[in-house]
Amino acid sequence: MGHNRLRYRLVDSDRSWSARQRRRRSDWLVRTFPDIGDMHVVDLGGRLGTWQRATVRPARVTVVNLEQPPAVVPEWAHVEQADACDLPEHVTVGTYDLVFSNSVLEHLGGHERRLRFAAAARSLADRHWVQTPYRYFPIEPHWIAPGMQFLPVRLRTALAQRWPLGHKPTRSHEAAIHQVLWTELLDRSQMRHYFPDSRLLVERVAGLPKSLIAVRS
């Protein structure tokens, strides 16, 4: 019960620590792009719910995700089932004001796919906001586990099976190692390599860098 209450406060609740961080980042996005309410935003790898909860909703949102689109999509949005690292032509020829991505870059499956994703983000619009958790923040953000990202795969997998605060709890070894291997946190050098012409913003918690955001405005 204690773990469940802690998980609710840190992850699940609308007032959780994770939810407050998302709202802070959303407010920062609006300050960076004050005209976002008039924009057509393409969200690479995101979900529609992000924009339904947003502080300021863009005029038009195109969401690209590998998942099956939801049954009901509001008229201001379009959901495209596609790979953001290999976009179909009808998506690449669209007209967008801003490319947005939140906590996706670390789940793409390696350097080559991150290169392709970054190239798409830079080419789809003149402006972009691409966020990813910082590798050297002391708490791994997907499992809310101190130092987990620095452990060998075997220990990370064992921890993923047992740690109660992860965003996607699992008891299966196969599911746990899948999650572990598909989570590769990035550092500043990598972000500068993928986004050489962007400003690199640093989101901090208690003075420590928590996430990195490549911005072209």
Side-chain angles (χ1 to χ4, degrees):
M1 289 297 292
H3 284 156
N4 290 338
R5 285 196 298 269
L6 183 59
R7 178 185 165 81
Y8 181 78
R9 291 176 181 176
L10 290 177
V11 179
D12 292 336
S13 166
D14 289 339
R15 298 182 181 181
S16 69
W17 179 80
S18 293
R20 291 197 302 272
Q21 292 301 119
R22 287 193 295 269
R23 284 192 291 270
R24 281 183 55 199
R25 195 178 304 141
S26 178
D27 291 342
W28 195 1
L29 174 69
V30 173
R31 291 196 302 273
T32 305
F33 300 98
D35 56 339
I36 194 171
D38 300 320
M39 289 184 179
H40 183 179
V41 174
V42 57
D43 183 342
L44 298 182
R47 290 189 173 94
L48 192 57
T50 297
W51 302 105
Q52 292 171 321
R53 297 187 300 267
T55 307
V56 177
R57 197 189 73 212
R60 180 76 177 160
V61 177
T62 296
V63 175
V64 178
N65 197 301
L66 290 170
E67 299 174 350
Q68 186 74 24
V72 178
V73 178
E75 61 181 22
W76 49 266
H78 171 70
V79 180
E80 184 77 31
Q81 187 176 17
D83 184 349
C85 301
D86 187 19
L87 292 169
E89 184 178 359
H90 67 271
V91 173
T92 64
V93 298
T95 303
Y96 312 106
D97 300 301
L98 175 69
V99 175
F100 174 90
S101 179
N102 187 75
S103 294
V104 174
L105 196 60
E106 72 273 20
H107 297 300
L108 296 177
H111 171 64
E112 191 271 339
R113 283 179 55 80
R114 287 193 291 270
L115 281 173
R116 289 158 57 188
F117 182 94
R122 298 196 310 270
S123 66
L124 287 173
D126 291 335
R127 293 177 281 186
H128 59 243
W129 169 287
V130 179
Q131 180 271 351
T132 191
Y134 179 52
R135 174 171 173 74
Y136 295 106
F137 187 67
I139 298 174
E140 204 293 329
H142 302 90
W143 284 273
I144 321 294
M148 179 178 173
Q149 65 269 40
F150 307 120
L151 297 176
V153 169
R154 179 176 60 84
L155 293 181
R156 275 185 281 157
T157 301
L159 188 59
Q161 287 181 260
R162 296 166 176 81
W163 192 254
L165 302 180
H167 289 283
K168 295 180 179 179
T170 178
R171 296 293 181 183
S172 158
H173 173 82
E174 287 304 314
I177 196 169
H178 176 82
Q179 291 179 15
V180 164
L181 293 178
W182 276 95
T183 304
E184 301 175 283
L185 300 184
L186 280 66
D187 65 15
R188 299 184 200 219
S189 295
Q190 289 169 290
M191 284 294 278
R192 289 192 182 103
H193 178 71
Y194 296 132
F195 298 95
D197 300 321
S198 308
R199 287 186 294 143
L200 192 61
L201 305 182
V202 179
E203 180 184 26
R204 296 178 183 273
V205 171
L208 299 175
K210 178 185 177 290
S211 71
L212 306 173
I213 309 168
V215 174
R216 189 167 67 193
S217 54

